[in-house]
Amino acid sequence: MTTGTAGRVPLIAGNWKMNLDHLQSIAFVQKLAWNLKDARHDFGDVEVAVFPPFTDLRSVQTLVSADRLPITYGGQDVSAHASGAYTGEISAAFLKALDCRYVIIGHSERRTLHNESDEQVAAKVGAAVGSGLIPVICVGESAEDLEAHGPSAVPVAQLRTALSELKPGADIVVAYEPVWAIGSGQAATPEQAEQVASALRTVIAESLDADTAARTRILYGGSVKAANIAGFMRQPNIDGALVGGASLDIAEFSSISRFRSHVGT
Ligand code: PGA
């Protein structure tokens, strides 16, 4: 199996969770774009994406398309259903209609607070890919799982199920987010994250095929900040980060996006 990083454009993804309303998100995206432009950020070299709340997406779309900003964006969740009597849900087609490139699926907060099962995650992944969205499939073990099964067993099993409706060649992103590292200030070590990312790449090769595995970007998430991003980005199987808290600070998020300037320091 190829694990070379060739062709995988790193992705720095900001998950805003339930923060920033549509007016705040417009101001944020505009300032972020200026900040990165001033720093001569090459968006073709490192992609920068934001994941605002649903109610912000139309405003972000309008700004990004009017000002031709090179920032991509997506939703934080999606319905497994195409349409119908599902009060409160948002379809993949609705997100696609707002030019979303991505959608986060199976974030640990959805799995824990909304009891999302691996099967529901798989159905959402199928719906997203079917509508032309790129799912950012989140997997990760809790502190109890870590103690009982080690770091890879649970994320590997979660990913196997999440990929069950896909065919080889599917355009996906995988995010390894240890639950104990999310919002805790206690990130995994780059070596721990690499070990799991490598196991996840093997799952993609087995479930889909080797080509898809070699092309798929695998992100690390959980207490990523400017001070620790470089260590993760030096790992051969880590192709970016899913950033929560630190993505709400423009200077910090820009600095994470510009990790190339501090890799090797
Ligand atoms: P954090 O969140 O960066 O605040 O740990 C990560 C996430 O939930 O995606």
Side-chain angles (χ1 to χ4, degrees), residues 8 10 12 19 25 62 75 83 87 106 166 171 178 197 213 228 243 265:
R8 299 202 298 265
I12 301 297
N19 296 289
S25 78
T62 305
S83 66
T87 301
L166 301 185
D171 208 352
N228 64 17
V243 186
T265 58

Side-chain angles (χ1 to χ4, degrees), residues 161-178:
T161 308
L163 300 181
S164 57
E165 296 195 7
L166 301 185
K167 296 194 179 67
D171 208 352
I172 59 171
V173 171
V174 173
Y176 167 53
E177 295 209 301

Side-chain angles (χ1 to χ4, degrees), residues 15 17 104 107-109 138 177 181-185 221-224 242-247:
N15 174 13
K17 309 194 182 188
I104 295 173
H107 189 280
S108 84
E109 287 149 22
C138 299
E177 295 209 301
I182 297 174
S184 67
S223 298
V224 169
L242 184 54
V243 186
S247 74

Side-chain angles (χ1 to χ4, degrees), residues 46-97:
V46 178
E47 185 181 351
V48 180
V50 294
F51 292 80
F54 287 135
T55 49
D56 302 10
L57 287 169
R58 171 65 172 152
S59 308
V60 170
Q61 179 203 27
T62 305
L63 171 68
V64 163
S65 81
D67 290 3
R68 300 201 177 151
L69 302 182
I71 290 174
T72 53
Y73 55 90
Q76 297 175 12
D77 184 32
V78 70
S79 176
H81 305 287
S83 66
Y86 302 102
T87 301
E89 301 228 350
I90 300 291
S91 73
F94 292 168
L95 295 180
K96 188 68 188 167

Side-chain angles (χ1 to χ4, degrees), residues 67-140:
D67 290 3
R68 300 201 177 151
L69 302 182
I71 290 174
T72 53
Y73 55 90
Q76 297 175 12
D77 184 32
V78 70
S79 176
H81 305 287
S83 66
Y86 302 102
T87 301
E89 301 228 350
I90 300 291
S91 73
F94 292 168
L95 295 180
K96 188 68 188 167
L98 292 175
D99 298 328
C100 284
R101 179 150 199 242
Y102 299 103
V103 61
I104 295 173
I105 297 178
H107 189 280
S108 84
E109 287 149 22
R110 303 285 322 167
R111 291 179 189 265
T112 316
L113 304 173
H114 300 269
N115 293 320
E116 279 188 19
S117 66
D118 291 347
E119 289 68 28
Q120 282 170 313
V121 169
K124 290 181 174 194
V125 167
V129 170
S131 290
L133 293 168
I134 302 174
V136 178
I137 305 167
C138 299
V139 297

